[in-house]
Amino acid sequence: MRKSHPIRRVVLATAATVSGVVLLLSLKPASDPTSAAAAGGAAAQASSAAQDTPQGGAAAAGSGTFTGAVAQTEYGPVQVRLTVADGKITKAEAVQAPKGGTSDQKTALSVPKLNQETVTAQNAKIDSVSGATYTSNGYKQSLQSALDKMKASAGSGASSGGSASASASASAGSGAASGSGSGSTATQARTVTGKVSQTEYGPVQVRITVSNGKITKADAVQAPSGGLSDQKTALAVPKLNQEAVAAGTAKIDSVSGATYTSNGYKQSLQSALDQAGG
């Protein structure tokens, strides 16, 4: 057999080594800087989008129906109710307004204009309607009361949303203290005002204070007045207030000699209980 020349073996070995190195380099996975940068950019965009998303609780703040306090005028009570969405007044209406005689005409003339101006102005700085000054002033007073309730609700909603995570952490961190705090919150009293009940002798409206699902106080914010009505109201309302607290329901006895006032009281009381969830 013919022997290989030593130089030839060296050349062949070198060629084989070089071929192996080239093959290994061709099989090594390449790193794509463009792909990595794109992936990093997508992650950054996702993080930014998550930070820009508003919390759901904030949108709900300042929405709902808000009824102002009753404003007494020389021609009768005026009470305004607002419908609010995202902090803006979308509807205004007078749930009470003077009536009877010329008051019917003045109310029909002024209230629609006042409602429209309220939605346009979004505040209580609206013009009085000529020829219905008393009604206009009463409307604006009740409107301001409803606006104050709206602002209070919006502030409460924002505060609740902003401190939600902090409250959760505090609750998790101290079980005993949290339990005590929760009990204190649960016992806070709520004041609820029922709808106005119209009787033959005048409007009746009841306001109750509720704590732990029980009526702790009841009073009539409106009741018939003038002439014999003053005596009947003075006789009936204290008894009705006392019975409402004792019974915890609207199933109370009417006061003898003040049937209309008693019936109106019970209707408004039931409305307040419905709002309180009782």
Side-chain angles (χ1 to χ4, degrees), residues 255-267:
V255 176
S256 177
T259 305
Y260 290 109
T261 299
S262 299
N263 290 340
Y265 185 102
K266 289 187 280 186
Q267 290 176 13

Side-chain angles (χ1 to χ4, degrees), residues 18-167:
V18 172
S19 300
V21 171
V22 171
L23 180 61
L24 288 173
L25 290 175
S26 65
L27 294 176
K28 183 179 179 180
S31 174
D32 188 354
T34 304
S35 300
Q45 289 178 358
S47 175
S48 175
Q51 293 175 356
D52 291 342
T53 303
Q55 293 183 354
S63 298
T65 302
F66 303 91
T67 303
V70 176
Q72 296 292 347
T73 74
E74 291 192 16
Y75 296 98
V78 181
Q79 189 175 33
V80 178
R81 180 169 58 206
L82 302 177
T83 301
V84 180
D86 295 332
K88 292 185 178 181
I89 301 171
T90 58
K91 182 181 179 182
E93 58 189 320
V95 293
Q96 283 195 77
K99 60 181 180 178
T102 58
S103 293
D104 289 335
Q105 298 176 359
K106 291 184 178 182
T107 294
L109 169 70
S110 62
V111 168
K113 292 182 180 180
L114 294 167
N115 291 340
Q116 185 176 0
E117 282 206 34
T118 298
V119 175
T120 301
Q122 295 290 308
N123 57 49
K125 297 178 180 179
I126 57 177
D127 294 331
S128 296
V129 176
S130 178
T133 305
Y134 289 108
T135 299
S136 298
N137 290 340
Y139 185 102
K140 288 187 280 186
Q141 289 176 19
S142 183
L143 170 58
Q144 185 60 57
S145 170
L147 287 168
D148 292 341
K149 291 181 180 180
M150 180 190 80
K151 291 176 183 177
S153 174
S156 174
S159 175
S160 175
S163 61
S165 58
S167 298

Side-chain angles (χ1 to χ4, degrees), residues 230-255:
D230 289 333
Q231 298 177 2
K232 291 186 177 182
T233 294
L235 170 69
V237 169
K239 292 182 179 180
L240 294 168
N241 292 338
Q242 186 175 359
E243 285 209 28
V245 174
T249 70
K251 296 178 180 179
I252 57 179
D253 294 332
S254 296
V255 176

